[in-house]
Amino acid sequence: MADSGESQMKIVNGEAGYVLEDVPHLTDHIPDLPTYPNPLQDNPAYSAVRQYFVNVDDTVAQKIVVHKDGPRGTHFRRAGPRQKVYFESDEVHACIVTCGGLCPGLNTVIREIVCGLYHMYGVTKVLGIDGGYRGFYSKNTISLTPKFVNDIHKRGGTILGTSRGGHDTSKIVDSIQDRGINQVYIIGGDGTQKGAAVIYEEIQRRELKVAVAGIPKTIDNDIPVIDKSFGFDTAVEEAQRAINAAHVEAESTENGIGVVKLMGRYSGFIAMYATLASRDVDCCLIPESPFYLEGQGGLFEFIEKRLKENGHMVIVIAEGAGQDLLSKSLESMDQQDASGNKLLQDVGLWMSQRIKVLIWTIFQKSKR
């Protein structure tokens, strides 16, 4: 997620190595925009809270612990409600779109945006774009109200539908302009947020008063600074079920090995958290930690040792781990999905096949 919208990133350098990676703003292309008091100031649920609003200069440090003699490092603009806003509630016409793969909590996010806009800011016009980016110019819209979204968090998937690709920037901005939309909430992963940055560039080029907010959708929890991305807890919980099943199978067979492949293209948070929670895993392989198979200290040596000790074991591997060990000559290395993400090879199947050969070798040794 970190590279989404790099072309729009504003870098501000300050004293003592201070670096602010700022996000684009409406005032970058529409100077002297009028501001209005935040409606939350008159909301009894928030007006009594001291220092509820975020100061315009507040930042969040990328690294919490730094050396006392070192530079201050990279900071990000702190999110949260400001005392002044750039839209009056009556003029806001918002839309929400979900793109890419499914993720637990999508409907909850949709619900919270709609209810937050309505109850906290007095916004009554919110559209749902049906079917991802393509829906801007090829499908119907859904009128979203608090009553409509009241129970959607109890359902799976996304009530708005989703798709990959289909990103015609000009058509999307044409649709936004024709519908009179001035706030766009885009929920999606890497490819989706790159698309959001391109959409904003076109909005900026046309000098439209339209705010674009990208809401990161990543089940892998691979976003710095924030505590958790939505869907991560559910993923870890479900992963433990698979690990438990693999453990039951493995311990029921002589030299049984359970291999569980989990999500995690470039980060191993799901694999690591599920491993720590289950306590039945002997080895966890993640993209952040390279490993090798043969030789002293290799995975095969550890597997052989563990089987001699326990007679069974469970290996958890994130889908992005060990990709460098797989054959780079296969066509899939250069293939991409509709969102532009590189298609990874099936490390779980490859690992299972290699382990079968290892077990056969161990079996032959024991017969001698």
Side-chain angles (χ1 to χ4, degrees):
M1 299 298 300
D3 63 347
S4 301
E6 280 184 347
S7 60
Q8 284 288 328
M9 191 69 71
K10 296 186 296 183
I11 307 298
V12 180
N13 294 293
E15 298 178 359
Y18 175 97
V19 178
L20 173 64
E21 290 193 8
D22 205 359
V23 293
H25 195 270
L26 278 172
T27 52
D28 294 340
H29 65 276
I30 309 178
D32 303 321
L33 266 177
T35 59
Y36 310 96
N38 194 318
L40 289 179
Q41 292 183 121
D42 301 319
N43 189 315
Y46 299 95
S47 58
V49 182
R50 280 190 176 184
Q51 297 181 341
Y52 179 77
F53 295 104
V54 175
N55 189 285
V56 291
D57 292 328
D58 284 356
T59 62
V60 177
Q62 183 179 39
K63 293 183 178 179
I64 304 301
V65 179
V66 295
H67 195 275
K68 64 183 178 66
D69 297 323
R72 293 176 64 182
T74 301
H75 288 234
F76 302 102
R77 184 74 64 183
R78 186 182 173 201
R82 268 61 172 170
Q83 284 187 308
K84 299 290 184 179
V85 294
Y86 292 88
F87 295 91
E88 288 193 283
S89 300
D90 293 342
E91 72 171 298
V92 174
H93 189 188
C95 76
I96 304 171
V97 62
T98 54
C99 304
L102 295 178
C103 178
L106 270 171
N107 283 334
T108 303
V109 174
I110 295 169
R111 182 180 185 273
E112 292 308 306
I113 294 174
V114 174
C115 292
L117 285 172
Y118 188 91
H119 295 299
M120 296 168 69
Y121 289 91
V123 174
T124 58
K125 292 182 288 186
V126 183
L127 282 179
I129 305 299
D130 188 9
Y133 277 140
R134 292 190 186 95
F136 275 102
Y137 49 86
S138 63
K139 290 203 174 185
N140 295 326
T141 58
I142 304 168
S143 180
L144 300 177
T145 63
K147 183 177 180 180
F148 182 85
V149 302
N150 186 50
D151 294 322
I152 64 172
H153 60 294
K154 300 174 184 177
R155 309 182 213 168
T158 164
I159 61 159
L160 298 180
T162 185
S163 63
R164 293 186 182 275
H167 188 271
D168 189 319
T169 306
S170 182
K171 284 185 178 181
I172 290 172
V173 178
D174 285 344
S175 176
I176 290 171
Q177 198 169 359
D178 292 343
R179 297 176 192 272
I181 293 169
N182 52 20
Q183 288 188 9
V184 184
Y185 296 88
I186 300 174
I187 309 170
D190 279 347
T192 301
Q193 300 307 328
K194 288 174 184 174
V198 174
I199 289 170
Y200 184 77
E201 286 177 1
E202 178 62 18
I203 287 171
Q204 192 176 40
R205 189 186 68 79
R206 300 188 190 186
E207 296 185 347
L208 303 177
K209 187 185 176 183
V210 178
V212 178
I215 301 166
K217 171 186 66 64
T218 169
I219 204 171
D220 296 332
N221 199 37
D222 54 343
I223 304 178
V225 181
I226 69 170
D227 294 328
K228 289 178 186 174
S229 56
F230 69 88
F232 175 68
D233 282 339
T234 304
V236 171
E237 184 180 342
E238 291 299 320
Q240 289 177 67
R241 300 177 195 270
I243 292 171
N244 182 58
H247 180 253
V248 170
E249 290 269 357
E251 69 176 354
S252 300
T253 309
E254 183 181 0
N255 288 333
I257 300 178
V259 178
V260 181
K261 184 184 75 170
L262 298 175
M263 295 182 70
R265 295 175 62 85
Y266 305 110
S267 63
F269 286 104
I270 294 177
M272 202 72 233
Y273 272 65
T275 293
L276 292 171
S278 72
R279 316 305 295 176
D280 288 329
V281 179
D282 298 278
C283 180
C284 179
L285 305 172
I286 58 176
E288 294 90 335
S289 298
F291 63 93
Y292 56 95
L293 300 181
E294 301 178 47
Q296 186 175 5
L299 178 63
F300 286 169
E301 181 185 75
F302 176 76
I303 290 175
E304 196 167 349
K305 177 174 178 290
R306 184 64 76 184
L307 290 179
K308 287 179 181 178
E309 292 173 349
N310 294 346
H312 67 276
M313 71 177 297
V314 174
I315 299 173
V316 167
I317 182 167
E319 61 180 324
Q323 291 292 318
D324 57 317
L325 300 178
L326 278 70
S327 172
K328 295 183 179 180
S329 63
L330 296 180
E331 293 181 2
S332 60
M333 290 296 290
D334 298 320
Q335 292 182 350
Q336 295 181 334
D337 62 19
S339 297
N341 300 311
K342 186 171 76 171
L343 291 176
L344 301 179
Q345 298 182 64
D346 191 340
V347 69
L349 179 61
W350 173 78
M351 182 64 71
S352 298
Q353 292 171 341
R354 293 300 303 269
I355 289 175
K356 286 178 183 177
V357 175
L358 173 66
I359 296 299
W360 174 254
T361 304
I362 295 174
F363 177 71
Q364 292 298 320
K365 285 182 183 178
S366 65
K367 290 177 62 177
R368 293 174 187 168

